[in-house]
Amino acid sequence: MGVGSPANGETRSRRQAAYLLQTPDTFVRTPVPEVTRGAVIVHASPALGAEFVWMTVELERGGSLTTRQHSRFFYVLEGEGTLGSPEGDSGMTVGEFAYAPPGAARTLTAIDAMRCVVIAKQYEPWPDAGFPRELRGRESALASQRLEECPGIEVRCLLPLEPCFDFAVNTMTYAAGAALPQVEIHYMEHGLLMLAGSGTYRLGKDVHRAEAGDFIWMEAYCPQWFQADADEPAKYLIYKNFNRMPLL
Ligand code: UGY
Ligand code: MN
């Protein structure tokens, strides 16, 4: 029995047609040839209906992940490592992120046992936009914006809004009790990892608790709304396909 798994088979996880709520007690670690001394938890993939992949890679000290295909986005959750490219290695620690353009080989190596979000998406080029460049940053160093003048919600956009980028990864920080100003229904799909705090997530017609460590996938047009618990701020990391007109 996995740590935290109740004996009676109960879980807060839910798989519905329009969304997945995946709580840590249901995470399954698997080997992949791209990883040495570690494993991946694949949260969202085409097998689910998602048009992107969201995994958590867990590496022992000295373990590594090497990938080349598709755009990849890395966000360190725990521990420390280096992200290596033919141009050299650079250190990555908690709260730091990187974007690797499609086709560029990158190796993430753990200096200390580490956990890192890896998001991969098939790149959709845009004529004359140029090829996306490598990016690195620290989430806490980015300026935050208010969500449509909504007090209590701060958004940090980790990727720039430029025509060469075809997805967004943001953090959303909610003051205690703060809520999205509307139920959203939109053409973008989401992957989402609760980084801190907890609250209530409305997904379709269901209402769920969402707690730090939970992963959520929402398909396009899934009605969605979040409110942080009244006694504590909440924060999540969220992906969406963005900045491309859907094909007619
Ligand atoms: O960017 C978004 O669509 C975001 N406001 N959605 C969400 O938090 N569920
Ligand atoms: Mn949304």
Side-chain angles (χ1 to χ4, degrees):
M1 192 173 77
V3 175
S5 297
N8 60 4
E10 279 300 311
T11 178
R12 285 189 298 109
S13 286
R14 288 290 180 273
R15 164 67 161 119
Q16 302 291 6
Y19 68 85
L20 170 72
L21 167 63
Q22 192 184 33
T23 60
D25 55 296
T26 57
F27 292 174
V28 172
R29 288 148 179 92
T30 57
V32 286
E34 290 85 351
V35 168
T36 63
R37 299 177 65 184
V40 293
I41 304 160
V42 179
H43 301 286
S45 74
L48 178 64
E51 292 185 351
F52 67 102
V53 169
W54 182 312
M55 345 184 254
T56 302
V57 60
E58 296 182 337
L59 301 173
E60 297 168 23
R61 178 196 286 246
S64 67
L65 163 79
T66 301
T67 57
R68 174 186 290 277
Q69 277 186 305
H70 308 305
S71 310
R72 282 133 302 147
F73 183 90
F74 303 86
Y75 183 95
V76 180
L77 297 170
E78 210 176 296
E80 203 185 332
T82 58
L83 191 63
S85 67
E87 295 80 49
D89 289 1
S90 64
M92 285 189 78
T93 183
V94 176
E96 293 186 335
F97 62 88
Y99 170 87
R106 292 291 173 271
T107 298
L108 179 70
T109 306
I111 296 173
D112 250 346
M114 79 182 299
R115 293 193 308 123
C116 184
V117 167
V118 182
I119 299 169
K121 179 183 182 295
Q122 184 136 27
Y123 184 60
E124 294 171 71
W126 180 249
D128 304 326
F131 204 61
R133 64 191 176 283
E134 178 93 25
L135 281 173
R136 304 214 174 184
R138 165 172 284 278
E139 188 265 347
S140 59
L142 298 176
S144 66
Q145 301 154 211
R146 284 257 172 87
L147 183 72
E148 284 151 28
E149 299 312 311
C150 183
I153 303 182
E154 287 185 1
V155 182
R156 288 187 173 83
C157 301
L158 309 192
L159 291 177
L161 181 54
E162 293 174 16
C164 60
F165 289 99
D166 64 349
F167 67 90
V169 181
N170 302 334
T171 57
M172 296 188 61
T173 307
Y174 292 71
L180 278 176
Q182 64 177 128
V183 175
E184 295 179 4
I185 302 180
H186 50 58
Y187 75 91
M188 301 85 78
E189 63 177 332
H190 281 311
L192 180 163
L193 182 70
M194 289 293 296
L195 295 175
S198 52
T200 302
Y201 233 109
R202 175 175 287 279
L203 298 165
K205 49 186 172 34
D206 305 328
V207 174
H208 293 285
R209 276 206 59 68
E211 299 183 355
D214 291 351
F215 174 82
I216 300 174
W217 168 73
M218 297 169 225
E219 75 166 14
Y221 300 103
C222 178
Q224 56 200 257
W225 179 82
F226 179 73
Q227 179 166 36
D229 282 348
D231 55 352
E232 174 186 31
K235 180 171 181 176
Y236 52 73
L237 182 71
I238 184 166
Y239 158 94
K240 59 186 168 186
N241 49 305
F242 202 51
N243 208 22
R244 290 290 181 273
M245 178 76 94
L247 290 177
L248 299 177

